[in-house]
Amino acid sequence: TVTGTDTHGCTGTASVQLRVLSHPPTFQLPSAFTPDYSGINDRFGIPASWGPLASMELAIYNRWGIQVFHSRNAQDDWDGRYKGVPQPMGVYIYTLQAVSGCGAIRKTGTVTLIR
């Protein structure tokens, strides 16, 4: 809370409440997904729980290094297809760069596509 007084003796007060996280968010991504159109765990992407992102770039590669997905939109996610063709079950590599309200996020990891 801050109180200020002007040259005429008038005062004003303003308050701000800050919430300090004891542990910063970890920004976890799923380790597997099942694009079987069941409506559960069908797509791989940025969870809504991450909140708004100022910028984002997600790329996914197959085991031969071919980029099978790329997006700069946090609402886009991968449905397990490349050029409309369902990709085989296996491990895929992702790279993610984003900026959240908590700062820069850089992640590289793997996700398993299960059919």
Side-chain angles (χ1 to χ4, degrees):
T1 301
V2 175
T3 302
T5 305
D6 68 13
T7 56
H8 303 289
C10 299
T11 61
T13 302
S15 296
V16 174
Q17 185 177 20
L18 300 175
R19 190 177 106 193
V20 178
L21 301 173
S22 59
H23 301 287
T26 57
F27 298 105
Q28 295 295 315
L29 287 170
S31 60
F33 74 116
T34 56
D36 58 6
Y37 309 102
S38 67
I40 301 170
N41 201 28
D42 284 336
R43 302 174 77 86
F44 176 80
I46 306 300
S49 63
W50 283 25
L53 298 174
S55 66
M56 188 280 307
E57 184 171 6
L58 174 64
I60 301 172
Y61 302 87
N62 66 17
R63 62 192 268 184
W64 296 281
I66 296 170
Q67 188 178 76
V68 296
F69 178 82
H70 178 265
S71 180
R72 293 180 186 270
N73 183 341
Q75 284 74 43
D76 290 345
D77 44 22
W78 187 40
D79 65 357
R81 295 176 183 261
Y82 175 56
K83 295 183 178 180
V85 177
Q87 294 303 287
M89 189 164 76
V91 177
Y92 293 79
I93 298 163
Y94 67 82
T95 61
L96 170 68
Q97 296 181 45
V99 176
S100 78
C102 296
I105 303 165
R106 290 181 183 260
K107 293 180 111 22
T108 301
T110 60
V111 60
T112 303
L113 188 157
I114 301 169
R115 293 213 181 266

